Amino acid sequence: MIVKTYSGRTIAEALGKVRTALGDDALIIETRPVREPGLLGRRSGFEVVAASAPAAEAPVTATAESEVRAWEPVE
C-alpha cells in the first residue's frame, strides 16, 4: 500500500492532487487544516493523507518465460 501526504491552499486543491497522483480509487486516511509560518504572516491550508494499492504487476508472458528458462549462468 502506498501512503502519501498532499497539501494545498484549499481542500479541493489538495484532493485534486490526490486524485491526479493516486487515481479515483485512493483512500483518504486523514484531512487536517495546517498553518505554516510565512514572510508576511501565517499561511493556512490543508493537508490530506491518502493511500492507494500499488499497480498490479504485469503478467508474465510466454516470451518472458522462455527467456528466463533459456538463461544459464556464465562460467
Side-chain angles (χ1 to χ4, degrees), residues 2 52-59:
I2 299 169
S52 176
E57 294 181 12

Side-chain angles (χ1 to χ4, degrees), residues 46-61:
F46 291 90
E47 193 171 80
V48 176
V49 179
S52 176
E57 294 181 12
V60 176
T61 62

Side-chain angles (χ1 to χ4, degrees), residues 8-69:
R9 300 273 299 170
T10 64
I11 192 74
E13 180 183 346
L15 289 173
K17 290 178 182 180
V18 170
R19 180 172 285 160
T20 301
L22 301 178
D24 292 334
D25 294 334
L27 174 67
I28 305 301
I29 297 173
E30 180 182 10
T31 60
R32 62 179 170 238
V34 293
R35 291 192 165 244
E36 299 174 354
L39 187 60
L40 301 175
R42 290 186 171 258
R43 190 176 92 167
S44 61
F46 291 90
E47 193 171 80
V48 176
V49 179
S52 176
E57 294 181 12
V60 176
T61 62
T63 306
E65 287 178 4
S66 64
E67 289 175 8
V68 171
R69 288 183 188 145

